[in-house]
Amino acid sequence: MRWGIMRPMTYELGKGTGPLAGVKVVEIAGIGPGPHACTLLADLGADVVRVDRPGGGALSGGPGDLLTRGRPSVALDLKQAAAIETVLRLVETADVLVEGMRPGTTERLGLGPDDCWERNPALVYGRMTGWGQSGPLSASAGHDMNYISVAGALFGLGQDPARPHFPANLLGDFGGGSTYLVIGVLAALLEARVSGKGQVVDAAIVDGTAHLGLMNATFAASGMPDDRRAAGFLDGGTPYYDVYETADGRHVSVAPLEPKFYEEFVRVLGVELPPRDVAEQAPALREAIAARFAERPMADWVADFEGTDACVAGVITLSEAAAHPHNVDRGVFVERDGVTQPTPAPRFSRTQASLGTGPVGPGANTREALAAWGIDDVDTLLDAGVAVQG
């Protein structure tokens, strides 16, 4: 499958081809999970307009930020009442608003849920924060690793008994954060189309990350270790679910949990191993597997294992992933404007998603996007400095 690529010269509504075509979203620019959620919505066909501050903000998107792809940027000075009024006019025809400010900020600006519902009672109001809209930490600053710490997820990560290791910001910001925001927005959007009433979606990274840990909670409830690293079933405590170094300093991931897959693993590995289900033999089993993989480079092992049911894969870099035959065949990555990037996910059999416009700088589309959304006094706003053309 190959993805369509749109390169419109001017911004127009209704160009999305995915299942969310026709859905209109107002995004109050933030960082991290909020933009990622809006990228997902835009990838799936929604018309998203991003409201940036003039000149952008610290860590906010720019012309090279893939988290802002697929949508125009409008620069509005939200310190001015006319800018707030402009956002509310956008809200009047929108289905969703997404914001990622600290609790209470949009209320102080005059853009809180009640302000928006006065203009559009069916609006879904998506709020993306780390701690959530309530609780003793809700007003405090934080970042990904802080949230996954309190959610109980960071403690057990990594195979180093001395300290946990964090997986960049994939688990919190994008796993427990933006993914759950999108789920909540879509669920509320379906309900609003039945009831005619919008509601707030309070998406907190700490909530979503805790929910991602349902399997770990199951393990803990069944008495499996949950207070030590590299001691459980899926965290490196099992010799046949781990990462092993190869002769060239690269690594392979090994995961033949089921007995039939393990039998295939042993066959391809080509060495006799100690019993796998005898706890006392676990150190010897790990040592034997490690010694065998250390005999040959990663590419040789990949050639032997790939396509089998042994559940072994080479650990490759992002650039290597873009060239992997499986990913190439499925079009998992695409090169756009000289930048290799992931294509929209998931896939649909009828309403296929398209990769829309590339990322732009703050305010790059102020004039055309506001006009397309029905704002008829754009020149007045620009002349007054309420809106800024980037």
Side-chain angles (χ1 to χ4, degrees):
M1 180 183 292
R2 293 293 181 266
W3 298 94
I5 298 179
M6 301 188 302
R7 297 172 182 268
M9 297 302 292
T10 59
Y11 174 70
E12 298 177 66
L13 287 168
K15 291 295 183 179
T17 64
L20 296 184
V23 173
K24 297 175 69 178
V25 180
V26 176
E27 172 192 6
I28 307 299
I31 62 173
H36 186 254
C38 289
T39 299
L40 283 170
L41 297 173
D43 281 353
L44 298 182
D47 283 302
V48 183
V49 60
R50 178 178 168 92
V51 178
D52 275 297
R53 67 176 64 182
L59 302 180
S60 64
D65 185 357
L66 293 175
L67 291 181
T68 64
R69 76 181 186 189
R71 55 202 187 273
S73 170
V74 169
L76 293 173
D77 181 4
L78 297 183
K79 295 179 180 179
Q80 300 194 47
I84 299 300
E85 174 61 24
T86 301
V87 175
L88 290 173
R89 290 161 67 188
L90 295 174
V91 163
E92 289 175 359
T93 63
D95 300 288
V96 179
L97 180 142
V98 172
E99 62 94 1
M101 300 180 180
R102 292 200 200 193
T105 301
T106 58
E107 284 84 352
R108 290 192 294 272
L109 289 172
L111 292 174
D114 291 336
D115 302 302
C116 292
W117 287 331
E118 286 183 7
R119 303 295 184 95
N120 182 353
L123 182 79
V124 172
Y125 198 102
R127 315 195 85 159
M128 183 73 261
T129 60
W131 303 116
Q133 298 298 309
S134 62
L137 295 176
S138 61
S140 304
H143 279 298
D144 179 287
M145 71 165 66
N146 307 130
Y147 310 133
I148 67 174
S149 296
V150 172
L154 179 57
F155 180 88
L157 296 183
Q159 285 75 55
D160 181 355
R163 64 187 296 268
H165 293 265
F166 54 96
N169 63 335
L170 295 175
L171 174 58
D173 280 352
F174 304 132
S178 59
T179 301
Y180 278 82
L181 175 60
V182 170
I183 292 170
V185 163
L186 296 181
L189 189 59
L190 284 173
E191 195 279 337
R193 293 190 169 180
V194 175
S195 69
K197 298 180 181 180
Q199 60 183 305
V200 169
V201 178
D202 176 4
I205 295 172
V206 68
D207 295 356
T209 304
H211 193 267
L212 286 172
L214 278 171
M215 180 177 285
N216 291 336
T218 300
F219 289 157
S222 64
M224 297 182 69
D226 68 333
D227 57 354
R228 292 177 293 135
R229 280 175 288 280
F233 193 48
L234 301 176
D235 64 358
T238 303
Y240 46 91
Y241 197 91
D242 207 344
V243 173
Y244 289 93
E245 186 174 355
T246 55
D248 53 352
R250 301 295 298 272
H251 295 83
V252 291
S253 58
V254 175
L257 293 174
E258 297 85 348
K260 63 180 180 180
F261 298 155
Y262 185 79
E263 289 178 8
E264 180 73 350
F265 166 71
V266 174
R267 183 190 68 79
V268 179
L269 192 65
V271 65
E272 186 174 346
L273 297 175
R276 83 166 204 164
D277 295 321
V278 179
E280 293 76 14
Q281 291 293 322
L285 176 58
R286 189 184 304 278
E287 183 178 340
I289 295 174
R292 180 59 170 152
F293 276 117
E295 294 176 3
R296 302 168 63 201
M298 183 188 77
D300 289 356
W301 288 117
V302 168
D304 286 350
F305 279 103
E306 201 159 85
T308 72
D309 284 344
C311 304
V312 174
V315 179
I316 58 179
T317 66
L318 183 59
S319 60
E320 290 172 328
H324 191 284
H326 179 83
N327 296 335
V328 170
D329 184 77
R330 285 183 59 82
V332 176
F333 296 89
V334 65
E335 184 175 321
R336 170 70 180 276
D337 298 329
V339 178
T340 299
Q341 55 192 279
T343 48
R347 303 170 187 232
F348 301 86
S349 63
R350 183 169 50 82
T351 55
Q352 179 176 311
S354 299
L355 186 64
T357 57
V360 297
N365 314 102
T366 298
R367 184 186 298 275
E368 56 190 314
L370 287 178
W373 275 65
I375 305 300
D376 54 10
D377 56 347
V378 179
D379 287 336
T380 301
L381 295 171
L382 290 169
D383 291 341
V386 173
V388 176
Q389 180 68 40

